[in-house]
Amino acid sequence: MTAVQLTVPRDWGDIAPEWMTAVLATHHPDVEVSGVEVQLRDDGTNRRARLGVTYAEGIGPATVFVKAADPEHVVLHKLTSGLFHEPRLFNSGVTLPVECPLTYAALMEPDDDNFCLVMEDMAARGADMRDATRPLTVEQAANGVRALARLHGRFWGDRVASEPSLDWLEPFETWEGMDAAPIEQAFAHLGDDAPEEVTSLSIGELIDDIWKPYIHTLTAGPQTLLHGDPHIGNTYLLPDGEVGFLDWQVVRRGNWSLDLGYFLQGALTVDDRRRSERDLLTEYRDALAVPESEKPGADDILLGYRASAAHGLTLWLCTASAGELWQRPDIARALAGRYSSAYADLDTREAISQIAG
């Protein structure tokens, strides 16, 4: 069986040993798979599962993690034009200078709106998958900040445009569909100390006066490769403290501020963020491996970071207002609360005005 013959399985239970042998062939050319067993199904906005693998010949991974499109959420992914960006990234051959799972295969079936990723099972390396209910410590967040700086520095400025294998990479632009979110339902769960600057917003003001103006700034200033969705639920922690990044479906090119702010403001408790964010911005600038003349100044980094709270605020108020449709409510509400506090603390609206001129 060749890679050309590999198709996306319609059900994880349909995967044959021959299919898995072909998937693993690039990294484990001597293996012959004898059995594949579904050990765990973990569906979200994509179909996901952990598969156990046994071998007739050779030695390969005992488990792999698989991810494919969920027909019920395809429209959501297509709204952000991100349905195939993750498999394109891992088929590109580009080396990412951050911790992320090894990908054995990235299959795409555009005519059927389907894809499949077969990846390293991070549990085998002792990875601790994080979410909003278990925020990072400041030092752990610093590791994540330095990782994002490595990623951004590798593709900073003209470097991302001159990478031929990334010629498909889109700029980070606005998408439609969020203006129907009943954000008043999210406000009801933010608590009595929710900032008035947030709870007084209508969905129209949030989208048209805050989120869209911020997103429009992302095509200005230094461009780089963005993870695009580095909230804490797309991170994991290795035993040595290294922070890794999952779920690259929103990978884009654009201004560094989106990744940095979206990660930090959601990964830390409000108190830790308030106490440490200035030092962590310095960590980011210091870790950018580009000439000093290409680095944004400290004031510019602070300004971009302040403006970036618009993105987390908008996405997680909309998510929290959707009940269990896209995320567990406790996770969505925790992140909506953190980004709300950041929006008020950082005077985000004024920062966007400064950048937009």
Side-chain angles (χ1 to χ4, degrees), residues 106-124:
L107 312 177
M108 293 185 291
E109 295 179 352
D111 291 343
D112 291 332
D113 289 333
N114 209 353
F115 70 91
C116 179
L117 294 173
V118 184
M119 299 175 286
E120 172 186 15
D121 178 12
M122 295 308 303

Side-chain angles (χ1 to χ4, degrees), residues 67-78:
K67 172 181 175 180
D70 182 339
E72 293 185 5
H73 291 94
V74 162
V75 172
L76 172 65
H77 291 304
K78 292 178 78 171

Side-chain angles (χ1 to χ4, degrees), residues 65-354:
F65 195 80
V66 287
K67 172 181 175 180
D70 182 339
E72 293 185 5
H73 291 94
V74 162
V75 172
L76 172 65
H77 291 304
K78 292 178 78 171
L79 278 174
T80 66
S81 70
L83 189 60
F84 297 110
H85 283 16
E86 188 172 24
R88 285 192 183 110
L89 178 66
F90 290 109
N91 279 330
S92 71
V94 167
T95 299
L96 300 175
V98 296
E99 169 60 43
C100 58
L102 172 67
T103 299
Y104 297 110
L107 312 177
M108 293 185 291
E109 295 179 352
D111 291 343
D112 291 332
D113 289 333
N114 209 353
F115 70 91
C116 179
L117 294 173
V118 184
M119 299 175 286
E120 172 186 15
D121 178 12
M122 295 308 303
R125 277 207 275 150
D128 179 7
M129 304 298 175
R130 304 309 286 259
D131 63 43
T133 66
R134 299 170 58 239
L136 300 180
T137 67
V138 172
E139 183 51 43
Q140 290 164 349
N143 287 337
V145 164
R146 289 188 285 265
L148 290 174
R150 290 196 304 272
L151 176 70
H152 294 168
R154 163 68 177 81
F155 298 99
W156 195 264
D158 292 339
R159 298 165 186 82
V160 68
S162 63
E163 188 71 57
S165 56
L166 295 177
D167 58 2
W168 51 270
L169 198 62
E170 299 177 13
F172 205 113
E173 297 179 341
T174 61
W175 56 78
E176 301 302 320
M178 295 193 298
D179 52 2
I183 58 171
E184 297 81 6
Q185 295 186 25
F187 294 158
H189 297 286
L190 290 182
D192 294 337
D193 58 348
E196 193 272 338
E197 298 97 320
V198 171
T199 57
S200 63
L201 292 170
S202 68
I203 186 62
E205 290 173 315
L206 178 65
I207 302 299
D208 294 330
D209 299 342
I210 298 168
W211 183 67
K212 286 185 177 180
Y214 169 66
I215 297 300
H216 292 326
T217 72
L218 297 178
T219 54
Q223 302 291 283
T224 188
L225 187 148
L226 299 174
H227 177 285
D229 196 23
H231 65 81
I232 188 171
N234 285 338
T235 69
Y236 57 90
L237 194 67
L238 291 177
D240 64 359
E242 184 71 13
V243 173
F245 292 89
L246 302 160
D247 289 348
W248 294 73
Q249 282 186 250
V250 193
V251 64
R252 295 288 191 277
R253 57 179 167 85
N255 186 275
W256 52 270
S257 66
L258 183 134
D259 274 358
L260 180 60
Y262 195 40
F263 170 69
L264 268 186
Q265 293 153 14
L268 294 170
T269 66
V270 171
D271 287 343
D272 280 349
R273 191 260 307 160
R274 287 170 175 164
R275 182 173 62 253
S276 304
E277 60 192 348
R278 298 295 183 103
D279 291 339
L280 291 169
L281 298 185
T282 300
E283 288 272 2
Y284 175 80
R285 189 177 191 278
D286 289 347
L288 275 176
V290 298
E292 183 67 24
S293 61
E294 294 187 49
K295 292 184 181 184
D299 289 344
D300 292 329
I301 286 181
L302 176 60
L303 185 63
Y305 172 78
R306 289 173 53 208
S308 70
H311 189 60
L313 176 73
T314 303
L315 266 59
W316 288 96
L317 283 179
C318 291
T319 301
S321 72
E324 298 183 12
L325 180 61
W326 297 327
Q327 267 286 359
R328 274 176 29 203
D330 58 334
I331 288 174
R333 293 165 187 172
L335 286 175
R338 285 179 204 157
Y339 291 115
S340 293
S341 294
Y343 175 84
D345 291 344
L346 298 168
D347 199 358
T348 292
R349 197 164 191 163
E350 193 271 339
I352 295 170
S353 296
Q354 282 193 51

